[in-house]
Amino acid sequence: MSSRTSSNAAMWTLILCAAATLMITMGGRQSMGLFVAPITQATGIGIGIVSISFSLAIAQFTWGAVQPVFGAIADQYGARPVIFLGTLLLAAGYALVPNVQSPLMLTLALGLFTAAGAGAGSFSILIGATASELPAEKRSMASGIINAGGSAGQFVFAPLLQFLIAGFGWIVALYSLAAVSLLSLPLLLGLRKRAPQASVASAAVAEASLGAQVRIALRDRSYWLLHAGFFTCGFHIGFLVTHLPGEVSLCGLPASVSATSLALIGLFNIMGSLAAGALGGRYRMRSILGLMYASRALIIAIYLVSPRTPLTFYLFAAALGFSWLATVPPTAGLIGKLFGTRYLGTLFGLTLLSHQTGGFFGAWVGGLTISRYGDYGWMWYADIALAVAAALLCLPIREAYVKPVAQPA
């Protein structure tokens, strides 16, 4: 086998193992809205829609809060130990949920354990672990494929979990999810182990470089604009993954419509992620981001004036799914362009914290809105306004024209 063939095989092993890991960690996380009604109806411990919405809102924030921490650890020591710990936390959290006795215990299991575990195997860790191992011209493509793995997880897990909930109950579905999450462990073999630091002195330099790079990024206006756009993305996604099943129920449609809609979002985001990854190597990433955010405002506006039928939800999910998490490759790509890939796990992790802060408010305020007004009308209007704002904020982001020149090692 030639050295080039061997190198290509190693590259694809790395990318596919990262994509498969994200498929597992994101598949269950993006389908948790399917458990809202069963848990609310099956327990007699006072877990209402507001309580479970708050638990899922905490989960959104926790998933983002651990990103820069786990990202910094992965940047220094590699992704393997981070994902190993996260897998154990994820499985434990899913297994604990059926045994909760109070809203506080639900928040600890669902809001902290599962969210932190999924965060250890998230975009920032996996894209950061691969970007530094790939040539510059391959990074956008790799980010798109890895991101598509997360979308494939939603496409596979949503109908599977709904089948288990309907046929065997939500408790069996959660135990099954705990077992499946352990499949991330053998995938660790395909992720490369970061070489150790040569000496204590060089380790100190690397640590100082991380702090200096973070300070540089935090003084950059473009970096903050990316944060603002990602906050809007998180608000939108946090609201929908938690409350789309509730919206479907309000329209008098069966739970299968919710599961199919979530699966369609995942399916079409596979295509959107691959497209975003490919286009990011040819066009300005800020333009790709701006178009994605603007399209969401238009899609939601069309949904609001459409009849509430299964077909409407399926078309809405398909259109929305194309940009669902396809914002990840251009956002990560812009950070890599602005600041390099050495500490991409940390810097992208900080933007994911902004994303999940938006996700916290999307999930929580959605629960407050339905509890007070009996529908989600005001949330849809807020979604439109935020999407328009995010599209406009992409315009002043600093980005050079794409140049097909390989970066030095």
Coordinates of all heavy atoms in Angstrom, one line a residue, residues 215-272:
R215 N -7.6 35.4 24.7 CA -7.7 36.9 24.9 C -7.7 37.6 23.6 O -8.5 38.6 23.4 CB -6.5 37.3 25.8 CG -6.5 36.9 27.2 CD -5.5 37.7 28.0 NE -4.1 37.3 27.7 CZ -3.5 36.3 28.2 NH1 -4.1 35.5 29.2 NH2 -2.3 36.0 27.9
I216 N -7.0 37.1 22.6 CA -7.0 37.7 21.3 C -8.4 37.6 20.7 O -9.0 38.5 20.1 CB -5.9 37.1 20.4 CG1 -4.5 37.5 20.8 CG2 -6.2 37.5 18.9 CD1 -3.4 36.7 20.1
A217 N -9.0 36.4 20.8 CA -10.3 36.1 20.2 C -11.3 37.0 20.9 O -12.2 37.5 20.2 CB -10.6 34.6 20.4
L218 N -11.3 37.1 22.2 CA -12.3 37.9 22.9 C -12.2 39.4 22.6 O -13.2 40.1 22.9 CB -12.2 37.7 24.4 CG -12.5 36.2 24.9 CD1 -12.3 36.1 26.4 CD2 -13.9 35.9 24.5
R219 N -11.1 39.8 22.0 CA -11.0 41.3 21.6 C -11.4 41.5 20.2 O -11.4 42.6 19.7 CB -9.6 41.8 21.9 CG -9.2 41.9 23.3 CD -7.9 42.7 23.5 NE -6.8 42.1 22.8 CZ -5.9 41.3 23.4 NH1 -6.0 41.0 24.7 NH2 -4.9 40.8 22.8
D220 N -11.8 40.4 19.5 CA -12.1 40.5 18.1 C -13.6 40.6 17.9 O -14.4 39.8 18.3 CB -11.6 39.2 17.4 CG -11.6 39.4 15.9 OD1 -12.7 39.5 15.3 OD2 -10.5 39.3 15.3
R221 N -14.0 41.7 17.2 CA -15.4 41.9 16.9 C -16.1 40.8 16.1 O -17.2 40.4 16.4 CB -15.6 43.2 16.2 CG -17.1 43.6 16.0 CD -17.3 44.8 15.1 NE -16.9 44.6 13.8 CZ -17.1 45.4 12.8 NH1 -17.8 46.6 13.0 NH2 -16.7 45.2 11.5
S222 N -15.4 40.3 15.2 CA -16.0 39.2 14.4 C -16.3 38.0 15.2 O -17.3 37.3 15.0 CB -15.0 38.8 13.2 OG -14.8 39.9 12.3
Y223 N -15.4 37.7 16.2 CA -15.7 36.5 17.0 C -16.9 36.7 17.8 O -17.7 35.8 18.0 CB -14.5 36.4 18.0 CG -14.5 35.1 18.8 CD1 -14.5 33.8 18.2 CD2 -14.4 35.2 20.2 CE1 -14.5 32.7 19.0 CE2 -14.4 34.0 21.0 CZ -14.4 32.8 20.4 OH -14.4 31.6 21.1
W224 N -17.2 37.9 18.3 CA -18.4 38.2 19.1 C -19.7 38.2 18.2 O -20.7 37.8 18.6 CB -18.3 39.5 19.8 CG -17.4 39.4 21.0 CD1 -16.2 40.0 21.2 CD2 -17.8 38.7 22.2 NE1 -15.7 39.6 22.4 CE2 -16.7 38.9 23.1 CE3 -18.9 38.0 22.7 CZ2 -16.6 38.3 24.4 CZ3 -18.8 37.4 23.9 CH2 -17.7 37.6 24.8
L225 N -19.5 38.6 16.9 CA -20.6 38.5 16.0 C -21.0 37.0 15.7 O -22.2 36.7 15.6 CB -20.3 39.2 14.7 CG -20.2 40.7 14.8 CD1 -19.7 41.3 13.4 CD2 -21.5 41.3 15.1
L226 N -20.0 36.2 15.6 CA -20.3 34.7 15.5 C -21.0 34.2 16.7 O -21.9 33.4 16.6 CB -19.0 33.9 15.3 CG -18.3 34.1 13.9 CD1 -16.9 33.5 14.0 CD2 -19.1 33.5 12.8
H227 N -20.6 34.7 17.9 CA -21.3 34.3 19.1 C -22.8 34.7 19.1 O -23.7 33.9 19.5 CB -20.6 34.9 20.3 CG -19.4 34.2 20.9 ND1 -19.5 33.5 22.0 CD2 -18.2 34.1 20.4 CE1 -18.3 32.9 22.2 NE2 -17.5 33.3 21.2
A228 N -23.0 35.9 18.6 CA -24.4 36.4 18.6 C -25.3 35.6 17.6 O -26.4 35.3 17.9 CB -24.4 37.9 18.2
G229 N -24.7 35.3 16.5 CA -25.5 34.5 15.5 C -25.7 33.1 16.0 O -26.8 32.6 15.9
F230 N -24.8 32.5 16.7 CA -24.9 31.2 17.2 C -25.9 31.2 18.4 O -26.5 30.1 18.7 CB -23.5 30.6 17.7 CG -23.2 29.3 17.0 CD1 -23.7 29.0 15.8 CD2 -22.4 28.4 17.7 CE1 -23.4 27.8 15.2 CE2 -22.1 27.2 17.1 CZ -22.6 26.9 15.8
F231 N -26.0 32.3 19.2 CA -27.0 32.4 20.2 C -28.4 32.2 19.6 O -29.2 31.5 20.2 CB -26.9 33.7 21.0 CG -28.0 33.9 22.0 CD1 -27.8 33.6 23.3 CD2 -29.2 34.5 21.6 CE1 -28.8 33.8 24.2 CE2 -30.2 34.8 22.5 CZ -30.0 34.4 23.8
T232 N -28.6 32.9 18.5 CA -29.9 32.8 17.9 C -30.2 31.4 17.3 O -31.3 30.8 17.5 CB -29.9 33.8 16.7 OG1 -29.9 35.1 17.2 CG2 -31.2 33.6 15.8
C233 N -29.2 30.8 16.8 CA -29.3 29.4 16.3 C -29.7 28.5 17.5 O -30.6 27.6 17.3 CB -28.0 28.9 15.7 SG -28.0 27.3 15.0
G234 N -29.0 28.6 18.6 CA -29.3 27.8 19.8 C -30.7 28.0 20.3 O -31.4 27.1 20.7
F235 N -31.2 29.3 20.3 CA -32.5 29.6 20.8 C -33.6 28.9 19.9 O -34.5 28.2 20.4 CB -32.8 31.1 20.7 CG -34.1 31.6 21.2 CD1 -34.3 31.9 22.5 CD2 -35.2 31.6 20.3 CE1 -35.6 32.4 22.9 CE2 -36.5 32.0 20.8 CZ -36.6 32.4 22.1
H236 N -33.3 28.9 18.6 CA -34.2 28.3 17.7 C -34.3 26.8 17.8 O -35.3 26.2 17.9 CB -33.8 28.7 16.3 CG -34.6 28.2 15.2 ND1 -35.8 28.8 14.8 CD2 -34.4 27.1 14.4 CE1 -36.3 28.1 13.8 NE2 -35.5 27.1 13.5
I237 N -33.1 26.2 17.9 CA -33.0 24.7 18.0 C -33.5 24.2 19.4 O -34.2 23.2 19.5 CB -31.6 24.2 17.7 CG1 -31.3 24.4 16.2 CG2 -31.4 22.8 18.1 CD1 -29.9 24.1 15.8
G238 N -33.1 24.9 20.4 CA -33.6 24.5 21.8 C -35.1 24.5 21.9 O -35.7 23.7 22.5
F239 N -35.7 25.5 21.3 CA -37.2 25.6 21.3 C -37.8 24.4 20.6 O -38.7 23.8 21.1 CB -37.6 27.0 20.7 CG -39.1 27.0 20.4 CD1 -40.1 26.8 21.3 CD2 -39.5 27.3 19.1 CE1 -41.4 26.8 21.0 CE2 -40.8 27.4 18.7 CZ -41.8 27.1 19.7
L240 N -37.3 24.2 19.4 CA -37.9 23.2 18.5 C -37.7 21.7 19.0 O -38.6 20.9 19.0 CB -37.5 23.3 17.1 CG -38.1 24.5 16.3 CD1 -37.5 24.7 15.0 CD2 -39.6 24.3 16.2
V241 N -36.5 21.4 19.4 CA -36.3 20.0 19.9 C -37.1 19.7 21.1 O -37.4 18.5 21.4 CB -34.8 19.7 20.1 CG1 -34.0 19.8 18.8 CG2 -34.2 20.6 21.2
T242 N -37.4 20.7 21.9 CA -38.1 20.5 23.1 C -39.6 20.6 22.9 O -40.4 19.8 23.5 CB -37.7 21.6 24.2 OG1 -36.3 21.5 24.4 CG2 -38.4 21.3 25.5
H243 N -40.1 21.5 22.0 CA -41.5 21.8 22.0 C -42.2 21.5 20.6 O -43.4 21.7 20.5 CB -41.7 23.3 22.3 CG -41.3 23.6 23.7 ND1 -42.0 23.2 24.8 CD2 -40.2 24.3 24.2 CE1 -41.5 23.7 25.9 NE2 -40.4 24.3 25.6
L244 N -41.4 21.1 19.6 CA -42.1 20.7 18.4 C -43.1 19.6 18.6 O -44.2 19.7 18.1 CB -41.1 20.3 17.3 CG -41.7 19.9 16.0 CD1 -42.4 21.1 15.4 CD2 -40.6 19.4 15.0
P245 N -42.8 18.6 19.4 CA -43.9 17.6 19.7 C -45.1 18.2 20.3 O -46.3 17.8 20.0 CB -43.2 16.6 20.6 CG -41.8 16.7 20.3 CD -41.6 18.1 20.0
G246 N -44.9 19.2 21.2 CA -46.1 19.9 21.8 C -46.9 20.7 20.8 O -48.1 20.7 20.8
E247 N -46.2 21.3 19.8 CA -46.9 22.1 18.8 C -47.7 21.1 17.9 O -48.9 21.4 17.5 CB -45.8 22.8 17.9 CG -46.4 23.5 16.7 CD -47.1 24.8 17.0 OE1 -47.1 25.2 18.1 OE2 -47.6 25.4 16.0
V248 N -47.2 19.9 17.6 CA -47.9 18.9 16.8 C -49.1 18.5 17.6 O -50.2 18.4 17.0 CB -47.0 17.7 16.5 CG1 -47.8 16.6 15.9 CG2 -45.9 18.2 15.5
S249 N -49.0 18.3 18.9 CA -50.1 17.8 19.7 C -51.2 18.9 19.8 O -52.4 18.6 19.7 CB -49.6 17.5 21.1 OG -50.7 17.1 22.0
L250 N -50.8 20.2 19.9 CA -51.8 21.2 19.9 C -52.7 21.3 18.6 O -53.8 21.7 18.7 CB -51.1 22.6 20.0 CG -50.6 23.0 21.4 CD1 -49.8 24.3 21.3 CD2 -51.7 23.1 22.4
C251 N -52.1 20.8 17.5 CA -52.8 20.7 16.3 C -53.7 19.5 16.1 O -54.3 19.3 15.1 CB -51.8 20.8 15.1 SG -50.9 22.4 15.1
G252 N -53.7 18.7 17.2 CA -54.5 17.5 17.2 C -54.0 16.3 16.3 O -54.7 15.4 15.9
L253 N -52.7 16.3 16.1 CA -52.0 15.3 15.3 C -51.3 14.3 16.2 O -50.9 14.6 17.3 CB -51.0 16.0 14.3 CG -51.6 17.0 13.3 CD1 -50.5 17.7 12.5 CD2 -52.6 16.3 12.4
P254 N -51.1 13.1 15.7 CA -50.5 12.0 16.5 C -49.0 12.2 16.7 O -48.4 13.0 16.0 CB -50.8 10.7 15.7 CG -51.0 11.2 14.3 CD -51.6 12.6 14.4
A255 N -48.5 11.5 17.7 CA -47.1 11.6 18.1 C -46.2 11.2 17.0 O -45.0 11.6 16.9 CB -46.8 10.9 19.4
S256 N -46.7 10.3 16.1 CA -45.9 9.8 15.0 C -45.5 11.0 14.0 O -44.4 10.9 13.4 CB -46.6 8.7 14.2 OG -47.8 9.2 13.7
V257 N -46.3 12.0 14.0 CA -46.0 13.2 13.1 C -44.8 13.9 13.7 O -43.9 14.4 13.0 CB -47.2 14.1 13.0 CG1 -46.8 15.4 12.2 CG2 -48.4 13.4 12.3
S258 N -44.7 14.0 15.1 CA -43.5 14.6 15.7 C -42.3 13.8 15.4 O -41.3 14.4 15.0 CB -43.8 14.6 17.2 OG -44.9 15.3 17.6
A259 N -42.3 12.5 15.6 CA -41.1 11.7 15.3 C -40.7 11.8 13.9 O -39.5 11.9 13.6 CB -41.4 10.2 15.7
T260 N -41.6 11.7 12.9 CA -41.3 11.8 11.5 C -40.7 13.2 11.2 O -39.7 13.3 10.4 CB -42.5 11.5 10.7 OG1 -43.1 10.3 11.0 CG2 -42.2 11.6 9.2
S261 N -41.3 14.2 11.8 CA -40.8 15.6 11.6 C -39.3 15.7 12.1 O -38.5 16.3 11.4 CB -41.7 16.6 12.2 OG -43.0 16.6 11.7
L262 N -39.0 15.2 13.3 CA -37.7 15.3 13.8 C -36.7 14.5 12.9 O -35.6 14.9 12.7 CB -37.7 14.8 15.2 CG -38.3 15.7 16.3 CD1 -38.4 15.0 17.6 CD2 -37.6 17.0 16.4
A263 N -37.2 13.3 12.5 CA -36.3 12.5 11.6 C -36.0 13.2 10.3 O -34.9 13.2 9.8 CB -37.0 11.2 11.3
L264 N -37.0 13.9 9.7 CA -36.8 14.7 8.5 C -35.9 15.8 8.7 O -35.1 16.1 7.8 CB -38.2 15.2 7.9 CG -39.1 14.1 7.3 CD1 -40.5 14.7 7.0 CD2 -38.5 13.6 6.0
I265 N -35.9 16.5 9.8 CA -35.0 17.5 10.1 C -33.6 16.9 10.0 O -32.7 17.5 9.4 CB -35.2 18.1 11.5 CG1 -36.5 19.0 11.5 CG2 -34.1 19.0 11.9 CD1 -36.9 19.5 12.8
G266 N -33.4 15.8 10.7 CA -32.1 15.2 10.7 C -31.6 14.7 9.3 O -30.5 14.9 8.9
L267 N -32.6 14.1 8.5 CA -32.2 13.7 7.1 C -31.8 14.8 6.3 O -30.8 14.7 5.6 CB -33.5 13.0 6.5 CG -33.3 12.5 5.1 CD1 -32.2 11.5 4.9 CD2 -34.7 12.0 4.6
F268 N -32.6 15.9 6.3 CA -32.3 17.0 5.4 C -31.1 17.8 5.9 O -30.4 18.5 5.1 CB -33.5 17.9 5.2 CG -34.4 17.4 4.1 CD1 -35.4 16.4 4.5 CD2 -34.4 17.8 2.8 CE1 -36.2 15.9 3.5 CE2 -35.2 17.3 1.9 CZ -36.2 16.4 2.2
N269 N -30.8 17.7 7.2 CA -29.6 18.4 7.6 C -28.3 17.7 7.2 O -27.2 18.3 7.2 CB -29.6 18.6 9.2 CG -28.6 19.6 9.6 OD1 -27.8 19.3 10.6 ND2 -28.5 20.7 9.0
I270 N -28.4 16.4 7.0 CA -27.3 15.6 6.4 C -26.9 16.3 5.1 O -25.7 16.6 4.9 CB -27.6 14.2 6.2 CG1 -27.9 13.5 7.5 CG2 -26.5 13.5 5.4 CD1 -28.4 12.0 7.4
M271 N -27.9 16.5 4.3 CA -27.6 17.2 3.0 C -27.1 18.6 3.2 O -26.2 19.1 2.5 CB -28.8 17.1 2.1 CG -29.2 15.7 1.7 SD -30.7 15.7 0.7 CE -32.0 15.7 1.9
G272 N -27.7 19.3 4.1 CA -27.3 20.7 4.4 C -25.9 20.8 4.9 O -25.2 21.7 4.5

